[in-house]
Amino acid sequence: MITDYLVPYHLVIFGASGFTGQFVAEEVARTASEVPGGSLKWAVAGRSRQKLEKVLEQAAGPELRTEVDILVADVGEPDSLAAMCKQAVIVLNCVGPYRFYGEPVVKACVENGAHHIDICGEPQFLEGMQFKYNSQAADSGVYVIGSCGFDSIPADMGVVFTRDQFMGTLTTVESFLTVSTGPDGGCIHDGTWQSAIYGFADGQKLLSLRRKFNHKPLPTVGSKLKRSNEIQQYTVPFMGSDPSVVKRSQRFMVEEHQASQVQYGAYAGVGGVVSVAKLIFAGMMFWLLVKFSFGRNLLIKYPELFTFGTFSKAGPSRKQMDGTSFQFTFCGEGYSEDQDPSKGNPNGKIRVLVQGPEPGYVATPIAMVQAALTMLNEPSSLPKKGGVYTPGAAFAKTTLIDRLNKHGIQFSVM
């Protein structure tokens, strides 16, 4: 239980003064009383004490401000990271892009006995940390759980939920993401845009990294996944981390629990013809410019121009966040309990809905904080040994989905 830990802080939010980190701090302040006895001990950490003080004033209010400590730590100063990690049960790492700033924090956590949660949507970083630190984390009993924000808890836990609700053997799942905005529209802070730019520019390095794992193909049950279109708008393949995260979870389920693989395809709705035309134009410009350093510099300097305002340096306003929501539709197929999966075609279907508030700065803090509280309160439900895990691998046997349901990220069978 939460009171069993001997270090000063249950949670330390690293990068709490960043755009996303400030919302994570607010979410921790809101949920601190939900632990047994209401005794959550937490701190914020980052480079600037002054900025962190401002965040705490906004997040915790005067009555909590004196109870929340400030730690000064910098990714460029390993000793400061080590000191931070020695004082935490879990470090909530909000400092991105992770490809530039993430590894020193993971390394410090593994070497100093703190669990690590991030909200990364960069497959190269996530898989790189697994390749480099999985064995060391297992030896240290440290859990490093990546992509615990909108990337990729709704998708990964959505597939887990779909499998658990299906009466039989689930073989394929497709997810269709749609995002709705209010009259003020919506946008995403350009930190995410920068991560995408560097990720696509380094695509070959990701392929090279995957070859190093030397994974054998997973056995498939039933027919191969075929794309369908279950929502009433144009769709494109989802370009985020969800497919790679879900596939890593499935590999864990097959190799560790002898489960059958669920094949997964991820798509995003893009609206009508005008939206498709904008997407094609923006996509062509992106692919043209991302290959060259001067092009990447242009994309980074003018995110609003190249994305029709989807990304901005200022990020969304509170009003825009209030009017924005997301919805995942999961369409699963498989064999009913009375049918042999090795014979014939799948005869069962299931549809699941995962929906929630604005993805980047409302849903992401909720998902990250509930993941952390789940770790604190249900250690015996985590995988038997430490290591580098996906949310689906780490939380499949916990009550994380129930916790999310109570905090505005709803999982339901349609």
Side-chain angles (χ1 to χ4, degrees):
M1 291 297 287
I2 195 166
T3 51
D4 296 340
Y5 298 106
L6 300 176
V7 294
Y9 310 112
H10 299 112
L11 305 179
V12 172
I13 306 165
F14 182 56
S17 58
F19 192 82
T20 307
Q22 62 184 321
F23 296 112
V24 173
E26 289 180 18
E27 185 63 23
V28 171
R30 272 193 293 270
T31 55
S33 63
E34 293 178 13
V35 299
S39 57
L40 185 77
K41 302 296 183 187
W42 61 289
V44 293
R47 288 182 300 176
S48 168
R49 178 176 290 274
Q50 195 174 10
K51 288 182 180 177
L52 291 168
E53 284 174 352
K54 286 182 180 175
V55 167
L56 277 185
E57 282 173 22
Q58 186 170 333
E63 68 282 357
L64 281 178
R65 170 63 193 88
T66 53
E67 298 176 21
V68 183
D69 289 339
I70 293 174
L71 308 177
V72 176
D74 188 335
V75 289
E77 297 175 7
D79 289 347
S80 72
L81 294 180
M84 173 184 75
C85 293
K86 284 173 182 172
Q87 299 180 75
V89 178
I90 306 174
V91 172
L92 277 60
N93 183 9
C94 302
V95 179
Y98 289 90
R99 67 173 50 245
F100 298 130
Y101 308 116
E103 184 173 352
V105 189
V106 172
K107 184 174 187 287
C109 283
V110 172
E111 290 178 351
N112 294 282
H115 306 306
H116 177 281
I117 287 179
D118 65 50
I119 44 177
C120 179
E122 306 163 44
Q124 188 178 333
F125 171 80
L126 294 163
E127 294 177 39
M129 293 304 96
Q130 181 181 359
F131 184 79
K132 199 164 182 180
Y133 292 101
N134 187 56
S135 295
Q136 191 180 350
D139 292 341
S140 305
V142 167
Y143 293 90
V144 177
I145 308 177
S147 49
C148 286
F150 179 73
D151 297 309
S152 291
I153 276 183
D156 204 15
M157 297 307 293
V159 173
V160 169
F161 181 78
T162 306
R163 183 200 65 197
D164 290 348
Q165 297 299 314
F166 186 75
M167 305 299 286
T169 303
L170 187 69
T171 57
T172 64
V173 171
E174 291 178 300
S175 68
F176 298 89
L177 168 66
T178 54
V179 176
S180 304
T181 57
D184 291 279
C187 72
I188 305 168
H189 190 262
D190 79 324
T192 304
W193 174 242
Q194 289 182 38
S195 297
I197 291 166
Y198 293 117
F200 280 102
D202 269 357
Q204 286 303 118
K205 290 183 182 176
L206 178 57
L207 293 174
S208 173
L209 170 65
R210 285 174 174 168
R211 282 193 288 269
K212 289 179 184 176
F213 279 99
N214 200 25
H215 285 317
K216 294 176 182 175
L218 292 175
T220 57
V221 178
S223 51
K224 290 279 187 183
L225 179 68
K226 293 175 186 172
R227 180 174 176 177
S228 61
N229 194 355
E230 296 283 341
I231 59 174
Q232 302 304 308
Q233 55 176 281
Y234 293 103
T235 62
V236 296
F238 182 68
M239 304 302 286
S241 61
D242 291 355
S244 82
V245 171
V246 170
K247 284 170 186 173
R248 286 169 59 214
S249 292
Q250 291 305 308
R251 180 168 291 280
F252 176 83
M253 304 288 186
V254 171
E255 293 177 351
E256 295 295 322
H257 298 301
Q258 290 71 54
S260 59
Q261 181 199 184
V262 178
Q263 300 172 68
Y264 177 66
Y267 307 95
V270 293
V273 175
V274 173
S275 297
V276 171
K278 283 183 177 180
L279 185 68
I280 291 171
F281 177 77
M284 288 171 62
M285 292 298 294
F286 184 88
W287 282 111
L288 185 67
L289 293 171
V290 79
K291 297 175 184 177
F292 309 101
S293 59
F294 80 89
R296 291 193 290 274
N297 290 337
L298 280 174
L299 290 169
I300 288 166
K301 193 172 183 181
Y302 304 108
E304 295 96 334
L305 177 66
F306 289 106
T307 65
F308 297 98
T310 301
F311 293 89
S312 84
K313 291 185 179 295
S317 66
R318 298 265 176 172
K319 204 169 181 184
Q320 285 178 316
M321 285 189 262
D322 289 344
T324 303
S325 61
F326 76 86
Q327 180 172 301
F328 273 103
T329 304
F330 292 85
C331 302
E333 192 173 77
Y335 295 84
S336 60
E337 289 176 307
D338 58 356
Q339 186 173 4
D340 185 347
S342 64
K343 297 175 183 176
N345 293 319
N347 67 333
K349 293 190 175 184
I350 185 172
R351 285 169 67 93
V352 161
L353 196 62
V354 178
Q355 52 192 336
E358 189 278 332
Y361 315 105
V362 183
T364 285
I366 290 170
M368 186 184 214
V369 173
Q370 290 306 314
L373 295 180
T374 301
M375 286 186 72
L376 287 171
N377 288 298
E378 302 173 44
S380 61
S381 299
L382 298 173
K384 291 178 184 176
K385 61 182 181 180
V388 180
Y389 292 102
T390 58
F395 297 118
K397 298 183 184 299
T398 70
T399 64
L400 176 59
I401 288 173
D402 294 335
R403 290 171 177 274
L404 293 171
N405 275 330
K406 292 172 185 172
H407 286 83
I409 300 176
Q410 303 287 331
F411 292 69
S412 59
V413 178
M414 297 172 72

